[in-house]
Amino acid sequence: MKKRLLAVFLLVSALTLSTAMANSLSIQVIQDYGIQKEPCSISYLVEQSVIDFFFESGAIVSNCPVRVFGSDDTVALKQALHDTLEGGMDFLVTLTVHFALDRELSDSDPMLLQYIKKVDWTIYSSVSGRALVSGTGKPNLTNGNNNEQGIVGFSSLLASQISAGLKKTR
């Protein structure tokens, strides 16, 4: 009986400690693609891949809606920071996906890595609203990765860069 009680206590302690030590962050993807007025499926795939990376590494993750880059960016950033703080998250991570296209994407177009020019990311403190760390990722096109899996792989590399940036904030 005492062994069971000790095992339950250790398990609860480990879970509590890991939750207390976990990063909590909110992810927001901003689509910088002037032709497209609505977020496209590539932006949603980048968002989901980054969220999956952090969730699988034990972080507490939420998201702000994917939005299109525009004239209300300062207001949108303030709103995202407010929502992040209200949600109890420590950080807001914005990822601005810059597209390398001169035409609008349709739902029937394939999701290709070559459509992404670069992604700029910034980590903000939800409490102070200050930008803490930022970086840029550019896709590396090789044979066989110019597809949906290539976008997922590129997004995972971005997430690992962001994770390294989060470690610098501690």
Side-chain angles (χ1 to χ4, degrees), residues 40-62:
C40 67
S41 56
I42 293 174
S43 296
Y44 288 111
L45 182 59
V46 168
E47 176 193 48
Q48 190 58 52
S49 300
V50 171
I51 288 172
D52 288 348
F53 176 92
F54 282 106
F55 182 77
E56 289 170 4
S57 66
I60 301 166
V61 189
S62 72

Side-chain angles (χ1 to χ4, degrees), residues 81-145:
L81 283 165
H82 178 266
D83 293 347
T84 300
L85 185 59
E86 285 288 310
M89 300 294 173
D90 298 323
F91 303 101
L92 169 66
V93 178
T94 61
L95 294 102
T96 304
V97 181
H98 302 275
F99 282 82
L101 285 171
D102 56 358
R103 65 175 178 81
E104 190 169 332
L105 280 172
S106 72
D107 290 338
S108 62
D109 283 329
M111 289 197 278
L112 301 177
L113 184 58
Q114 74 185 30
Y115 294 160
I116 300 174
K117 183 178 181 181
K118 67 177 182 171
V119 176
D120 297 322
W121 57 267
T122 305
I123 301 171
Y124 295 90
S125 164
S126 65
V127 175
S128 70
R130 284 188 10 232
L132 302 173
V133 183
S134 62
T136 298
K138 293 183 180 180
N140 182 13
L141 288 174
T142 60
N143 291 338
N145 80 336

